[in-house]
Amino acid sequence: MKFAVLDFETTGSTSSDRIIQVGLCIVNDLEISDRYTSLVHPGISIPSSITALTGIDDEMVKDAPSIDSVIAEMVPLLQDSVLVGHNVGFDLSFLQRALDEEGYYPFDGRVLDTMDTLRMLYPGLSSLQLSMVCQAFDIVHERPHQADSDAEVTALIWLRCMERLQSLPLLTLQRLEMVLEDQVGDLGWLIHELRTYKEMHASAGSDPHEDRYFRQFALNVSDWGEEEEERDPQEIKRMPDDFGAFYTQLKALMQQSFGAYEERESQVQMLNNVESAFQKEQHLMIEAGTGTGKSLGYLIPSLYYGLKNEKKVVVSTHTINLQEQLRERDIPLLKELFPVPFKAGILKGRSHYLCSRKFEAKVNTLDFENGREDRVTAAQMIVWLGETKHGDDEELHFSGKGQQFWYSVSSDAESCLNRACPWFKKCFYHRARHEANNADVVITNHSLLFTDVVAENRVLPGYKHLVIDEAHHFEEVASKHLGIELHYHGLSGTLLWLYKDARTGQLSLLKQKLARFEKDITQKWCSMIEEIVPRLIALKEQWDELTEVLYQLLASRSDASQTEGNTMVLRLRKDSLPNGWDKLMVMEENMQLHFTEVNKKLDRLLTEVKELQDEYDAASLVTDLSGTVKQLLRHKDALHFFMTMADENYVYWLEAGHYNKARSLQLSSVPMDVSSLLKQYFFDAKESVVMTSATLSVGKSFDYTCEQLGLQTQDDNKLVTVQLPSPFNYREQALVVIPRDFPSIRGNVGEKEFVDKLILSLAEVALETKGRMLVLFTSNRMLKAAHAGLKDMLSPFGIQVLGQGVDSSNRSKLTRMFQNHPASVLLGTSSFWEGVDIPGNALSCLAIVRLPFQPPNHPLVEAKTENLKKLGQNPFMKLSVPQAVIRFKQGFGRLVRTASDRGIVLVYDTRVIDTNYGKYFLYSLPGPKIEHMNTSQLVPRIKQWMGEKEQ
């Protein structure tokens, strides 16, 4: 098979643009056999943006051949070739135009895109950008955006893809061919060729993958429960009874394994505090600064205590990211070092796991709602099934509507057949549950902890010892999960699952299946479906109408000056409802009547069909349909709870974006105070709860966090609080500078002057630090204004300016772009204040633009403020300042990530030195050098500070 791997550099992407460089690699018998490259005289001037990207300017192409002679040399090389390109549609369109203009026949061979192939063959690849793929494959890409270099690396990537394709199990190739057919360009043809070749050369019984086949899929898992290893109880008895003695042994092993291992005093303190809390059945709140090594600080004592006492310990993180980090990094490390074999289970929310039964049904019936996109996603998942041991969506990187496809095949409680499912012993969710049940330590996340509470403890295995990492988020997650949210797409999506059109939707599929049997009973069921469909259509129309009116109400009542970015929010109160609410209640009552009628008819249909489901091959559909009906009931109740504002202890609000109108509408019903619930479900119910984070105290006190979590009434002996010093020398590593003459903002007054001065100051500092700067904003609007101004000022000096929500909304992608380009300034809002890790020289300067106070008009903040006022307390000092201090500390923590990091923090908000409450912000920092001066002195001081580093 001969492949021609092509890449063009052009003056742009429109029909009037021209080719300026050609790169072509010919691949024969899986080797690069020929190369062709040439600059091309485009006949027009090359835009400066293209020169900046490619390095090719008018001077370089002045004496280059014109396109007619280049095409004449390319045509023989393209003869009998399959054309391959990275995003090949772009190159193909330029090739066809050039062939046409020079009087050649169009290229009529097969065309393949490395992007589709990579997405399918490497399901976990996090970026399909050419340079990122090269990085992932360890391919050196010397001159990105030069056609010869791009074509060369694309050819090497293609060779990897071909090797990967040839190594796939025969059954996987057969499945891929069935899914792709001729619907995804020529990719289906390529799979067909490889499948045919593999079948022709396979001898009977020679398939090395055969033992991995199950229900016509190649898998990478055996039945769960089969691989159980028995642990010798004597091994645990041989562990020292004293934790200190045990840790001394473990430390010796660490020193043997890691030559550079250094003991951290604060980590040793943490180990002892956690183990002591477990032994004494106490709750522990422990603030451990960056560099403490929190993960090992709680995992080691948790495992020791759990093993010695045969008690299960649950560890909960705020983010799935940290869960993955514990799975991939910390647990394997401890498994190598621990003197006793232990079991760690990772358990996430059910929707993170694939339901193999649903996926099998999708693939077998070729039920691909989004056509080509769904086919590529299904192909990606077929390959992934042959690799995954966890069946967890974190291992997959979707594009386009991939996430929507996943939602249709993910596990859920409502449609689960449990032991009746043919996939039960291979089920990823039940495997994770089984591993959690048998584990010594279970690693989960805050969301699932509260799902377990709502499900009356039927999700997690029983436990009495809990570690809450990233504990500063615990109360906020509790509010969200103990509340009730209904999104426009939640209800409309469920209605569309039931019925979209005559071919799509569970009822349509069931009707098609039943209609094949010409029996009285199946005809009766088809008639029942026909009766239900108009009611579902009416419900969808009524929901659209209700959300449209609610959106108009929100848009008319929301104060644009008080809303941040693209979000509008409107709090609703039962004692002062907006005009016309009674009409909305009538609309909701009509919907409730339709809901009731639909549920009654669906229940009857399902009851009847269920009895004969096997006879009509409808078991899988009936199960999924039952699940969707339960979902519909949940949405029905959520809508009624919101519209009637049934509980006075809840806060109710509407939220939507400015641009996608009613489709972005969300109805939120959230308990105002969850502290009593946290006390009931965790602090009173568990023997020991350990809460840890780098940011739990405010002004060296834990009072605020204790109150939020319902711990303020704990007796003195039950709760222990510890604040550990960071192992970093912040006095030497971090300088905090406040420009004391910087303008202030009062409400919206003075914002323009502030932003103008900010742009000027940031630009001066960025030139001194050569980029390497992260700027944290509290306002999207201000970020966008600063981005435009900074870009104009810094671009001429080769400093790249990246903005969240401007250059990308993906935090990981922006962080990667920042790290890959040494002279960069990165502007971020909310998600950049924490969880971003940029160690080393990539980041030398952190700028905090404004103190991170929450908008006072957010419904939950507003309700809590009102409540504190009723109690005669000062809500600003009791709520707003502590919340902002914790966020400020998180932001500060982005700068120093390792013992060798050093840099400057600029705080452009003079309230930290001008107000009484400002001291809480500065006093909460871990001991950096703090100075304030006039703005004009910033750059000389930074220069001096950075110079001290180099001496």
Side-chain angles (χ1 to χ4, degrees):
M1 220 180 278
K2 178 186 169 191
F3 300 103
V5 184
L6 177 65
D7 189 83
F8 289 136
E9 297 305 328
T10 65
T11 58
S13 55
T14 68
S15 57
S16 60
D17 282 300
R18 292 285 173 244
I19 296 166
I20 56 174
Q21 191 187 25
V22 173
L24 183 62
C25 289
I26 304 300
V27 174
N28 260 313
D29 298 325
L30 298 186
E31 282 187 0
I32 299 176
S33 60
D34 206 350
R35 293 175 177 85
Y36 173 80
T37 184
S38 176
L39 287 166
V40 182
H41 193 295
I44 58 172
S45 183
I46 298 172
S48 58
S49 59
I50 297 296
T51 299
L53 185 71
T54 64
I56 301 169
D57 59 20
D58 290 332
E59 184 64 28
M60 290 170 69
V61 297
K62 188 174 67 175
D63 300 321
S66 57
I67 192 66
D68 55 345
S69 54
V70 170
I71 284 289
E73 291 179 325
M74 285 175 65
V75 165
L77 292 168
L78 295 172
Q79 202 73 38
D80 303 321
S81 293
V82 177
L83 189 70
V84 175
H86 197 71
N87 191 17
V88 74
F90 176 85
D91 303 289
L92 180 63
S93 65
F94 274 91
L95 174 66
Q96 299 291 36
R97 200 185 321 144
L99 288 168
D100 180 50
E101 287 173 358
E102 301 311 321
Y104 291 91
Y105 288 114
F107 179 81
D108 61 355
R110 303 274 184 186
V111 179
L112 293 164
D113 196 328
T114 48
M115 292 181 84
D116 283 337
T117 317
L118 284 165
R119 187 174 292 138
M120 175 180 77
L121 295 176
Y122 298 93
L125 204 58
S126 60
S127 170
L128 296 176
Q129 201 184 328
L130 194 59
S131 58
M132 298 307 294
V133 176
C134 289
Q135 208 173 310
F137 286 3
D138 289 326
I139 292 171
V140 177
H141 191 189
E142 289 175 353
R143 289 174 289 109
H145 304 295
Q146 294 249 326
D148 56 338
S149 180
D150 284 359
E152 182 79 20
V153 298
T154 304
L156 293 173
I157 288 166
W158 185 249
L159 289 170
R160 292 279 185 94
C161 288
M162 290 304 293
E163 283 170 27
R164 177 92 177 95
L165 271 167
Q166 289 173 337
S167 71
L168 290 177
L170 175 58
L171 183 56
T172 298
L173 288 172
Q174 290 166 340
R175 277 289 192 182
L176 289 175
E177 185 185 357
M178 182 182 115
V179 164
L180 297 170
E181 296 178 323
D182 56 356
Q183 305 290 314
V184 185
D186 289 317
L187 191 53
W189 162 81
L190 178 67
I191 302 293
H192 170 79
E193 294 294 304
L194 288 165
R195 191 267 302 160
T196 307
Y197 177 85
K198 203 156 196 160
E199 282 180 352
M200 281 170 58
H201 292 82
S203 52
S206 68
D207 189 341
H209 304 287
E210 210 166 341
D211 60 331
R212 294 169 48 200
Y213 294 168
F214 182 75
R215 294 181 70 84
Q216 300 300 298
F217 287 94
L219 306 178
N220 192 28
V221 288
S222 52
D223 287 3
W224 54 260
E226 277 188 358
E227 56 290 300
E228 294 299 304
E229 290 174 26
E230 286 302 314
R231 184 167 53 212
D232 180 359
Q234 293 305 313
E235 288 182 287
I236 293 174
K237 284 185 179 168
R238 285 194 287 272
M239 283 169 66
D241 290 334
D242 174 64
F243 178 67
F246 167 79
Y247 179 64
T248 302
Q249 287 180 9
L250 188 67
K251 186 170 64 175
L253 286 170
M254 288 191 206
Q255 284 163 338
Q256 279 173 30
S257 302
F258 312 106
Y261 173 76
E262 280 182 32
E263 187 174 71
R264 303 173 202 175
E265 191 184 328
S266 51
Q267 189 183 54
V268 176
Q269 264 183 275
M270 182 169 182
L271 290 159
N272 290 319
N273 287 137
V274 173
E275 199 272 339
S276 171
F278 285 154
Q279 287 289 0
K280 295 175 180 173
E281 295 189 1
Q282 291 174 320
H283 300 321
L284 171 67
M285 189 174 286
I286 184 162
E287 182 174 83
T290 311
T292 304
K294 283 198 302 294
S295 303
L296 293 183
Y298 58 69
L299 282 173
I300 290 169
S302 295
L303 283 165
Y304 171 82
Y305 177 82
L307 289 165
K308 286 297 279 183
N309 297 280
E310 294 183 29
K311 300 269 181 81
K312 195 180 296 291
V313 179
V314 170
V315 171
S316 178
T317 69
H318 173 51
T319 56
I320 297 282
N321 258 356
L322 183 52
Q323 235 181 317
E324 284 299 305
Q325 183 184 302
L326 296 177
R327 187 214 297 265
E328 299 297 326
R329 192 187 71 184
D330 299 295
I331 294 296
L333 169 73
L334 287 174
K335 283 198 166 178
E336 276 183 43
L337 295 172
F338 237 65
V340 175
F342 66 83
K343 293 173 188 166
I346 312 288
L347 194 58
K348 299 180 183 177
R350 191 161 189 159
S351 62
H352 286 285
Y353 299 95
L354 176 73
C355 171
S356 305
R357 178 190 62 76
K358 285 189 196 174
F359 184 63
E360 178 188 25
K362 275 266 184 201
V363 171
N364 285 351
T365 57
L366 299 177
D367 175 19
F368 300 124
E369 188 184 337
N370 296 306
R372 183 188 192 280
E373 278 199 58
D374 280 5
R375 287 175 184 273
V376 174
T377 304
Q380 178 186 19
M381 289 172 67
I382 287 167
V383 173
W384 170 70
L385 267 176
E387 302 172 348
T388 183
K389 289 191 177 298
H390 307 299
D392 176 344
D393 65 345
E394 290 295 309
E395 301 168 347
L396 285 163
H397 282 272
F398 296 117
S399 62
K401 294 185 177 169
Q403 198 63 51
Q404 198 176 317
F405 182 84
W406 172 268
Y407 180 68
S408 71
V409 293
S410 62
S411 180
D412 69 273
E414 284 83 3
S415 67
C416 183
L417 290 171
N418 292 304
R419 293 184 181 279
C421 179
W423 286 90
F424 182 66
K425 290 300 279 183
K426 295 273 194 287
C427 173
F428 294 112
Y429 174 68
H430 284 288
R431 176 184 302 277
R433 287 275 312 264
H434 173 78
E435 286 172 359
N437 283 326
N438 290 295
D440 301 296
V441 64
V442 179
I443 294 163
T444 186
N445 54 66
H446 301 349
S447 293
L448 196 64
L449 273 188
F450 291 108
T451 301
D452 184 52
V453 165
V454 173
E456 297 173 347
N457 308 114
R458 290 194 298 269
V459 177
L460 291 169
Y463 66 97
K464 287 289 183 184
H465 297 82
L466 171 65
V467 177
I468 303 168
D469 198 350
E470 302 175 294
H472 60 286
H473 282 295
F474 199 58
E475 186 256 354
E476 167 202 337
V477 178
S479 293
K480 187 177 171 62
H481 283 270
L482 298 174
I484 302 163
E485 286 181 350
L486 178 60
H487 196 283
Y488 167 81
H489 288 293
L491 177 48
S492 61
T494 302
L495 292 167
L496 292 171
W497 279 122
L498 287 167
Y499 178 83
K500 187 173 185 183
D501 54 42
R503 290 180 308 104
T504 320
Q506 292 166 343
L507 286 172
S508 298
L509 290 171
L510 181 62
K511 188 181 170 190
Q512 287 162 31
K513 199 176 269 285
L514 295 173
R516 293 203 295 265
F517 302 92
E518 293 180 4
K519 293 186 176 181
D520 289 346
I521 188 72
T522 56
Q523 296 306 313
K524 177 194 164 194
W525 292 336
C526 288
S527 298
M528 287 171 77
I529 291 171
E530 283 166 14
E531 285 175 31
I532 294 166
V533 164
R535 293 221 175 238
L536 287 172
I537 293 169
L539 253 178
K540 173 75 170 62
E541 286 169 355
Q542 287 175 330
W543 176 232
D544 284 347
E545 192 185 341
L546 178 61
T547 48
E548 184 57 48
V549 178
L550 284 170
Y551 180 84
Q552 294 305 332
L553 173 71
L554 169 62
S556 65
R557 300 275 296 249
S558 179
D559 180 355
S561 67
Q562 291 295 308
T563 59
E564 177 46 52
N566 304 325
T567 308
M568 297 185 292
V569 175
L570 175 65
R571 183 179 169 200
L572 296 164
R573 307 160 191 257
K574 200 167 187 176
D575 56 0
S576 57
L577 288 167
N579 290 336
W581 190 259
D582 51 342
K583 288 175 188 166
L584 290 165
M585 289 297 295
V586 171
M587 291 166 81
E588 190 262 341
E589 281 164 20
N590 288 337
M591 282 185 73
Q592 292 295 332
L593 293 173
H594 277 297
F595 273 126
T596 305
E597 200 57 37
V598 162
N599 281 321
K600 203 188 296 175
K601 288 180 183 296
L602 280 169
D603 280 347
R604 190 173 147 216
L605 174 70
L606 285 167
T607 305
E608 290 188 22
V609 178
K610 206 172 272 184
E611 287 178 16
L612 299 166
Q613 61 186 19
D614 293 332
E615 194 177 319
Y616 298 110
D617 185 29
S620 185
L621 253 177
V622 167
T623 303
D624 290 344
L625 191 52
S626 301
T628 310
V629 170
K630 284 177 188 165
Q631 228 167 27
L632 191 65
L633 268 171
R634 274 209 308 273
H635 294 324
K636 167 186 182 288
D637 293 342
L639 177 62
H640 191 63
F641 187 85
F642 178 86
M643 294 299 291
T644 55
M645 298 179 206
D647 189 329
E648 61 183 27
N649 294 313
Y650 276 63
V651 185
Y652 304 90
W653 73 87
L654 294 167
E655 198 168 325
H658 281 283
Y659 303 118
N660 39 7
K661 305 265 169 134
R663 288 174 168 268
S664 64
L665 192 72
Q666 181 170 299
L667 284 54
S668 295
S669 312
V670 171
M672 182 172 56
D673 181 7
V674 291
S675 59
S676 59
L677 296 170
L678 294 178
K679 188 173 183 300
Q680 177 189 340
Y681 292 122
F682 294 100
F683 303 115
D684 288 351
K686 307 300 174 194
E687 288 175 14
S688 180
V689 180
V690 173
M691 295 146 281
T692 186
S693 160
T695 53
L696 287 173
S697 68
V698 176
K700 309 291 186 268
S701 161
F702 290 99
D703 290 355
Y704 169 74
T705 306
C706 284
E707 206 163 308
Q708 295 300 297
L709 297 177
L711 280 162
Q712 74 276 32
T713 55
Q714 286 289 344
D715 67 79
D716 292 342
N717 297 325
K718 186 67 178 174
L719 177 67
V720 177
T721 58
V722 177
Q723 193 170 16
L724 296 177
S726 168
F728 299 153
N729 184 347
Y730 279 99
R731 189 97 190 132
E732 295 297 321
Q733 290 180 255
L735 171 68
V736 176
V737 184
I738 304 132
R740 61 176 167 237
D741 60 340
F742 221 71
S744 58
I745 303 174
R746 293 282 175 266
N748 286 333
V749 178
E751 188 171 309
K752 187 182 183 309
E753 185 196 353
F754 179 89
V755 172
D756 290 345
K757 290 240 172 121
L758 178 71
I759 292 167
L760 204 59
S761 178
L762 288 173
E764 287 173 352
V765 173
L767 289 171
E768 177 57 42
T769 60
K770 300 177 180 64
R772 301 184 301 164
M773 179 192 279
L774 172 63
V775 188
L776 296 177
F777 288 82
T778 56
S779 154
N780 290 310
R781 184 178 60 243
M782 201 181 281
L783 182 151
K784 282 172 183 165
H787 180 275
L790 278 172
K791 199 162 192 172
D792 289 346
M793 294 184 80
L794 294 175
S795 293
F797 297 95
I799 295 176
Q800 169 182 255
V801 179
L802 299 166
Q804 186 181 7
V806 182
D807 299 284
S808 171
S809 295
N810 183 308
R811 187 176 79 169
S812 305
K813 186 178 176 184
L814 280 169
T815 307
R816 255 198 329 262
M817 288 162 75
F818 178 74
Q819 288 174 300
N820 291 340
H821 191 298
S824 292
V825 175
L826 174 54
L827 316 182
T829 53
S830 50
S831 64
F832 273 90
W833 283 78
E834 64 178 290
V836 174
D837 201 4
I838 309 173
N841 288 333
L843 181 62
S844 294
C845 182
L846 172 78
I848 293 175
V849 173
R850 301 278 288 153
L851 296 178
F853 286 104
Q854 272 195 305
N857 63 322
H858 186 279
L860 204 50
V861 178
E862 199 176 74
K864 287 182 174 186
T865 298
E866 287 166 7
N867 197 43
L868 286 167
K869 279 180 182 168
K870 276 183 202 166
L871 298 170
Q873 295 175 340
N874 179 342
F876 183 69
M877 294 307 296
K878 195 88 179 161
L879 183 70
S880 303
V881 169
Q883 278 179 342
V885 167
I886 284 173
R887 195 117 178 96
F888 181 76
K889 285 167 71 178
Q890 283 287 342
F892 175 86
R894 297 315 95 214
L895 182 71
V896 176
R897 307 302 297 167
T898 71
S900 59
D901 289 353
R902 193 166 187 274
I904 301 106
V905 178
L906 301 172
V907 181
Y908 283 101
D909 194 330
T910 56
R911 287 178 293 179
V912 287
I913 50 175
D914 292 343
T915 62
N916 288 332
Y917 60 82
K919 59 177 182 269
Y920 292 106
F921 290 86
L922 298 178
Y923 186 51
S924 288
L925 296 177
K929 190 176 277 191
I930 300 173
E931 299 176 4
H932 45 91
M933 60 195 64
N934 288 336
T935 312
S936 59
Q937 296 171 284
L938 286 183
V939 172
R941 181 65 182 107
I942 289 167
K943 192 172 190 168
Q944 183 188 10
W945 171 264
M946 297 309 274
E948 288 168 14
K949 175 185 178 181
E950 284 147 23
Q951 285 169 11

